[in-house]
Amino acid sequence: MKAVFVQDAEKIEIKDIDRPTINSDEVLIKVATAGICGSDIHTYKGLHPFRKPPVVIGHEVAGEVVEIGDAVKNVKVGDRVTVEPQKGTGVSEGVMTGNVNYSDERLAPGMGDWLGTMAEYFVSPEDLVISLPDSVSYDQGVLVEPLAVGVHAAFKGDVKPSDRVAIIGAGPIGLLTLAAVKAKGVTETVITDVLDYSLDVAKELDVTETVNIMDNPNWIEETKERMGGSFDKVFITAGVPGIINQALNLLKKGGRVVTVAMFHGQQEVDIEQLQQNEKEIVGCMTYNRPDTEEALEIIKEAKIPVEKIISHVLHYEEAARGFEIVNKKQDNSVKVLVRFDS
C-alpha cells in the first residue's frame, strides 16, 4: 500500500509498504481522508517529543472498515468510521481513572508499531472506532478528532453561556475551540491572529470580533476595549513566547486561562498578577471519549459549520506540498486534508 512518511525533518516521501495485518480485537480501515494536524507539523520539523522520523504520519482519519478481527463485536465491514487515536497502556493514573489523556504510556499513531493514518489502510483497536452517521462526510469525519481537542478545552475551561471568551490563535485548533465554545452557548467571543485569512474563517464561524495583532503592541488593551472589558476565559491555541502573560493580561480577576497549544521550552509567568488577582492557568491535553462523542454530535447537528476551516483537499501524492504550505502558512492554508479515495 501507499503511505506518507516523514522521512526526515521537512522531508516527505511516498512509499510502498506492506498492507498491515490485524489482531483479533482490531479492524482494518480503508482510508478515505486524513488530516494534517499541528502536531504532525511538529513531527515534520523534527520537534515532536515522541513521534520521530522516519514515521508514517497522521492521526486524523475517516474511512470504511474492510476487515474485522475474530473478536470484534460492535463494528462490521462496510461501516463508515473515524477513530479516537490514543490508547493508554500499563498501570497508570490515566488507565485507572478513565482519563486516557493522563496515561503515562499513552500511545498514538506513529508510535512504535502503530502506523499513522496517512496511508491507504489503517489499523485500529475496535474500542477506538467511532461510527459516522450517513449525514457526516468523510471530510467532516476527519474533523471529529481535532474538534474533540476544542471540546475538551471548553470542558477544562468550565465554559458557561454567559462567559466572555478570548482565543489567542486562529489556526485549526483555535478555530475549532471557537466552535466548541459557541456550541456551549457562548455569544461574546474574540479571536486573535496575525493572518487575516484565518480571521476571515473565524467570521464564518460567527465570532463576535477578530483582532489582527501583527505589529500592534497595544492589541491587548484594544481587544478589551472593543469587547467592553476583560475576559472570563482565555484559551491559548498558539505556543509562542510570552503568550501566557498576554493571556493573563486579557483575563479578568478570578478568570481562567486554558493552555491548549503544544509548547516547546519555558514560558514566563507573572506570578504576582496570577496570585493577587486569583487568576488560574489550567493545562489541557488532548481529550477523552465524552469529548469525542460531543464533537461528533456538534458536527452531526450542523449548527456550526466546522467544515469551513478546510482550505485544501489534496491527493496523497501532493502530501509534501500540503505539509509545506501548512508549515510555511502559504496559499491561505488553514486545515489541509489528504485524500486516498480518489
Side-chain angles (χ1 to χ4, degrees):
M1 70 173 184
K2 301 291 186 181
V4 178
F5 276 77
V6 175
Q7 186 63 25
D8 205 343
E10 299 190 22
K11 183 178 181 181
I12 296 290
E13 291 186 7
I14 311 297
K15 296 184 180 181
D16 275 308
I17 62 173
D18 291 339
R19 174 169 157 170
T21 58
I22 59 172
N23 295 320
S24 62
D25 62 344
E26 294 177 331
V27 306
L28 184 66
I29 299 167
K30 188 177 190 302
V31 175
T33 311
I36 298 177
C37 173
S39 65
D40 295 329
I41 296 299
H42 286 284
T43 304
Y44 173 71
K45 296 168 74 171
L47 298 175
H48 200 283
F50 54 78
R51 193 180 286 116
K52 301 295 185 182
V55 62
V56 178
I57 195 63
H59 58 272
E60 302 170 351
V61 67
E64 180 183 342
V65 175
V66 293
E67 185 181 345
I68 62 173
D70 294 340
V72 171
K73 298 179 180 178
N74 298 313
V75 179
K76 63 183 185 299
V77 171
D79 282 355
R80 303 172 66 255
V81 300
T82 186
V83 171
E84 185 180 283
Q86 61 174 2
K87 55 185 177 181
T89 63
V91 178
S92 69
E93 184 178 352
V95 174
M96 291 186 291
T97 63
N99 296 292
V100 177
N101 60 335
Y102 293 175
S103 295
D104 300 327
E105 300 177 24
R106 189 175 64 93
L107 294 180
M111 295 177 63
D113 296 331
W114 196 6
L115 300 181
T117 60
M118 213 166 284
E120 291 184 283
Y121 294 92
F122 174 68
V123 173
S124 172
E126 177 192 11
D127 60 357
L128 302 183
V129 173
I130 298 168
S131 294
L132 295 176
D134 290 339
S135 61
V136 174
S137 70
Y138 284 137
D139 288 358
Q140 291 172 313
V142 166
L143 299 181
V144 171
E145 191 273 346
L147 179 56
V149 175
V151 170
H152 189 66
F155 166 73
K156 296 296 290 184
D158 191 26
V159 168
K160 304 291 193 299
S162 60
D163 282 341
R164 292 154 44 75
V165 172
I167 299 168
I168 309 178
I173 294 299
L175 293 166
L176 291 173
T177 299
L178 170 65
V181 164
K182 290 190 66 63
K184 296 291 186 184
V186 174
T187 58
E188 293 187 75
T189 55
V190 65
I191 195 165
T192 71
D193 206 89
V194 298
L195 299 171
D196 283 334
Y197 67 82
S198 292
L199 296 173
D200 288 340
V201 177
K203 293 174 184 176
E204 294 195 67
L205 298 177
D206 199 27
V207 72
T208 309
E209 290 281 353
T210 62
V211 179
N212 190 320
I213 66 175
M214 177 66 79
D215 300 323
N216 183 0
N218 300 316
W219 70 268
I220 292 174
E221 290 307 316
E222 289 179 10
T223 299
K224 289 192 286 188
E225 183 176 348
R226 288 170 66 175
M227 291 294 291
S230 300
F231 294 86
D232 299 282
K233 309 289 166 59
V234 178
F235 294 87
I236 299 175
T237 55
V240 298
I243 202 166
I244 298 291
N245 286 337
Q246 291 172 345
L248 288 172
N249 287 330
L250 283 171
L251 197 65
K252 75 173 188 179
K253 294 181 179 181
R256 180 176 292 185
V257 169
V258 181
T259 59
V260 188
M262 180 177 287
F263 290 88
H264 296 285
Q266 300 295 310
Q267 283 273 338
E268 291 186 0
V269 176
D270 183 348
I271 193 66
E272 183 177 359
Q273 182 184 170
L274 183 76
Q275 182 180 24
Q276 293 188 4
N277 295 309
E278 289 199 342
K279 298 181 179 182
E280 301 176 357
I281 302 174
V282 175
C284 181
M285 179 65 178
T286 63
Y287 41 75
N288 287 303
R289 181 52 61 91
D291 306 307
T292 304
E293 292 171 350
E294 186 175 335
L296 178 56
E297 192 65 25
I298 291 170
I299 293 173
K300 185 171 68 172
E301 288 179 354
K303 294 178 182 178
I304 301 171
V306 297
E307 65 278 0
K308 294 288 187 180
I309 77 165
I310 300 171
S311 59
H312 297 72
V313 181
L314 306 175
H315 191 267
Y316 71 85
E317 292 178 344
E318 297 182 278
R321 173 176 171 248
F323 276 85
E324 182 177 13
I325 64 175
V326 173
N327 181 41
K328 296 182 178 179
K329 301 186 185 302
Q330 298 173 340
D331 198 24
N332 291 359
S333 60
V334 183
K335 185 65 176 179
V336 176
L337 306 185
V338 175
R339 259 208 195 126
F340 287 84
D341 62 349
S342 62

